[in-house]
């Protein structure tokens, strides 16, 4: 499939990497594309490394395995750069997006020789300022949309407004913070 885009998410249990991958899949599906989104983890507890995946294309994919050669990687917890080979199989014409206040070039030495594009976003800071707590998945979601271009940003924002309205129907005050976090991350991603 020539327009297939594969994204691998690295995070820790409880940080929302799985949720972010599912939200991205829902938004992209609503544009008429075919998607797969699934996590990989065992019986680990909160804080253990997890991996989640998105496979996006204009045709139905018959592949139902993990993603070993992703086009893009999202790293929700930067400590995983030293614990997990986050760049394993990452295509050099793709990119890695890392939750970090550091500049992309400061993190390159941790990327095991990866020569492709590197982006950073201070997802912890954005979520703390917009949501009052550290929920890095929402800003990481906005950053990955901005970098991958798998969905038009305006269409994505409209879709997420509806998704958050449904998800947080009993907590409408949370919707505004999440929307601000998404928009900020799309503007503040560096790379």
């Amino acid at each position: 499939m020539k327009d297939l885009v594969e994204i691998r998410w690295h995070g820790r249990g409880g940080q929302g990497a799985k949720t972010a991958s599912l939200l991205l899949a829902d938004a992209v599906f609503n544009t008429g594309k075919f998607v797969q989104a699934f996590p990989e983890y065992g019986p680990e507890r909160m804080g253990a490394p997890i991996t989640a995946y998105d496979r996006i294309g204009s045709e139905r994919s018959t592949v139902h395995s993990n993603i070993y050669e992703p086009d893009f990687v999202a790293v929700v917890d930067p400590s995983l750069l030293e614990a997990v080979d986050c760049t394993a199989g990452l295509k050099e014409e793709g990119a890695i997006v890392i939750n970090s206040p550091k500049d992309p070039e400061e993190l390159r030495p941790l990327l095991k020789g990866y020569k492709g594009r590197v982006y950073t976003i201070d997802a912890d800071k954005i979520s703390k300022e917009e949501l009052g707590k550290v929920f890095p998945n929402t800003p990481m979601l906005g950053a990955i949309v901005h970098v991958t271009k798998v969905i038009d940003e305006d269409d994505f924002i409209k879709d997420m407004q509806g998704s958050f309205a449904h998800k947080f129907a009993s907590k409408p005050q949370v919707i505004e913070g999440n929307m601000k976090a998404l928009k900020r991350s799309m503007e503040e991603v560096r790379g």
Side-chain angles (χ1 to χ4, degrees), residues 91-106:
K91 296 175 184 168
E92 289 198 6
E93 61 274 11
I96 186 169
V97 181
I98 305 164
N99 172 15
S100 176
K102 296 181 179 179
D103 288 326
E105 290 307 311
E106 289 180 75

Side-chain angles (χ1 to χ4, degrees), residues 28-79:
V28 172
F29 177 78
N30 290 335
T31 69
K33 291 185 180 178
F34 290 92
V35 298
Q36 293 177 5
F38 50 98
E40 175 189 26
Y41 52 87
E44 295 95 349
R45 296 187 227 191
M46 189 182 311
I50 70 108
T51 309
Y53 305 94
D54 286 299
R55 188 172 280 127
I56 301 164
S58 60
E59 300 172 11
R60 184 180 308 273
S61 176
T62 58
V63 176
H64 296 286
S65 67
N66 291 347
I67 295 170
Y68 300 104
E69 295 181 348
D71 299 289
F72 299 95
V73 167
V75 181
V76 181
D77 187 323
S79 72

